[in-house]
Amino acid sequence: PVTETSADQASDLKGKKIALVMEFNSGTFSQQYLAGVKEEVERFGGELTTFVAETDKSKMASQLEMAVNQKFDGILTDHGDAATLTAGMNKAKEANIPVVAFDALVEIPGITVIEQGDQKMAEMTLEQLAKDAGGKGNIVKIWTAGFAPMERRQVAYEQFLNTYPDIKEIAAFGSVSNSTALDTQAKMEAILKQYPKEGEITAVWASYDEFAKGAARAIQQAGRTDIKIYGIDMSDEDLQMLQNPASPWVASAAVDPKDIGRIQVRYLFQKLHGDQTEDKVILEPVYVHRDQLPADKQISTDELGEYVKGWGGSTQGEQDWMSEYSK
Ligand code: SR1
């Protein structure tokens, strides 16, 4: 019998057709995540096709089934819930097509699901908010149900309200669309009109960077310097806002979105290589505060690791055999 060496197996991976099925791709987090996916698929010599459901869950379900029917070699999914993804993922399993999901509310043996340390990200930013506010004040929460990361962040939010009884939620809103930041800005403007006096709102907790951006623009344009924003996520645009001393957004917790994309692809190629992979992979977030960033120059997320320990350049999912594919 001819035994294939691991080097042969690795070169067999070249030319794989990979589908990425995204619930939405609007916003800078999604764009930088997509850049990471593209970069790593290219590294393995694969060919990427992206399907975007534009927040339509039934469209996402059809796109996933389409990717299975079109016999892609491997499938990546981004967001989506159990009702949307389960049928397509089971079909992929029957067809022996490996699947790696990011931020999905699914638990299917054999399907690897990647998530950020969502509860920890929420805890880190809420703790900073409580500290800056001296444990009391009125806050606005920007959050929405129905997304895996949001449900996990909500657990930390509820604990936070219990821990700090003198911190009161005076308004809560949030929805995801193809214009999330703009919609958030309009809603935040309305809340600022409802609470026009200085000190009526202590802070905003924004559970997604598109929410933080919209709220920051509304607060800045209204000339309100008394309200701080604590957010989640970090993209180049977010970093610009965080570095701007006139912006109310002072802190965020995040995993490098490019790293997320790259790591997800590595797990898919592990499966294509025949490696054993875990069903759940959790990525470690870092905390970023304006005070850690240089005041004299604008930096990008590619440079953020020079200022914030643990940011970017993750080797999670990397295997010895992958060294054949130069980075
Ligand atoms: C609507 S869900 C948005 C979140 O997905 C990713 O997990 C990002 O962290 C973003 O905050």
Side-chain angles (χ1 to χ4, degrees), residues 21-319:
V21 184
M22 303 177 80
E23 184 174 350
F24 57 89
N25 73 345
S26 54
T28 50
F29 174 93
S30 290
Q31 288 307 309
Q32 290 192 216
Y33 156 78
L34 182 55
V37 170
K38 279 186 183 153
E39 185 188 302
E40 206 69 353
V41 170
E42 262 171 37
R43 174 188 170 201
F44 289 110
E47 205 183 289
L48 181 71
T49 305
T50 305
F51 300 87
V52 184
E54 288 166 329
T55 73
D56 178 341
K57 288 190 195 301
S58 58
K59 191 169 167 188
M60 186 182 192
S62 318
Q63 288 172 332
L64 176 55
E65 298 220 9
M66 207 185 338
V68 177
N69 295 336
Q70 290 180 7
K71 300 191 169 40
F72 277 86
D73 296 306
I75 299 177
L76 303 163
T77 63
D78 171 30
H79 289 84
D81 55 19
T84 306
L85 299 172
T86 304
M89 286 183 172
N90 281 328
K91 262 184 124 178
K93 262 180 85 172
E94 280 161 30
N96 282 322
I97 301 174
V99 179
V100 180
F102 166 55
D103 260 355
L105 284 169
V106 287
E107 271 183 51
I108 302 174
I111 306 283
T112 296
V113 182
I114 295 181
E115 63 184 58
Q116 305 172 80
D118 289 291
Q119 205 171 317
K120 190 167 173 188
M121 292 199 286
E123 280 163 8
M124 290 193 276
T125 49
L126 287 164
E127 272 310 311
Q128 186 68 46
L129 185 162
K131 192 172 159 214
D132 292 350
K136 60 180 187 327
N138 295 331
I139 65 165
V140 175
K141 173 200 187 194
I142 317 182
W143 177 88
T144 184
F147 295 88
M150 291 293 159
E151 299 303 337
R152 289 189 287 265
R153 292 169 198 178
Q154 171 68 4
V155 173
Y157 184 77
E158 278 169 11
Q159 283 169 0
F160 158 81
L161 286 185
N162 286 334
T163 311
Y164 297 99
D166 293 332
I167 295 184
K168 309 275 182 228
E169 177 192 293
I170 53 164
F173 69 93
S175 63
V176 175
S177 67
N178 289 322
S179 53
T180 305
L182 264 181
D183 299 350
T184 306
Q185 185 174 344
K187 286 189 189 124
M188 191 68 218
E189 280 164 4
I191 289 172
L192 293 172
K193 284 191 183 125
Q194 215 182 323
Y195 298 95
K197 291 193 210 123
E198 188 149 321
E200 280 185 315
I201 302 173
T202 314
V204 173
W205 183 64
S207 59
Y208 169 25
D209 62 344
E210 293 303 303
F211 293 158
K213 275 185 255 189
R217 288 179 189 132
I219 293 170
Q220 222 177 319
Q221 280 170 25
R224 295 281 292 266
T225 52
D226 55 321
I227 307 167
K228 284 191 180 139
I229 300 177
Y230 301 82
I232 287 181
D233 301 320
M234 189 52 59
S235 68
D236 288 323
E237 193 184 18
D238 303 346
L239 195 50
Q240 264 184 34
M241 294 181 90
L242 215 71
Q243 280 194 267
N244 176 1
S247 160
W249 189 358
V250 293
S252 206
V255 176
D256 181 350
K258 279 194 206 156
D259 264 356
I260 300 172
R262 289 188 280 248
I263 292 166
Q264 189 182 8
V265 172
R266 279 182 216 138
Y267 278 95
L268 187 67
F269 275 84
Q270 280 192 33
K271 286 178 188 285
L272 288 165
H273 186 252
D275 300 352
Q276 284 296 320
T277 49
E278 47 270 59
D279 282 352
K280 192 169 181 170
V281 175
I282 302 180
L283 311 181
E284 192 60 30
V286 297
Y287 172 73
V288 186
H289 192 281
R290 175 178 295 158
D291 293 348
Q292 296 164 278
L293 306 173
D296 56 342
K297 61 169 183 173
Q298 182 62 59
I299 58 163
S300 72
T301 48
D302 288 337
E303 300 161 291
L304 186 55
E306 291 168 33
Y307 302 89
V308 177
K309 197 167 163 267
W311 175 265
S314 169
T315 55
Q316 213 165 335
E318 187 73 16
Q319 299 295 310

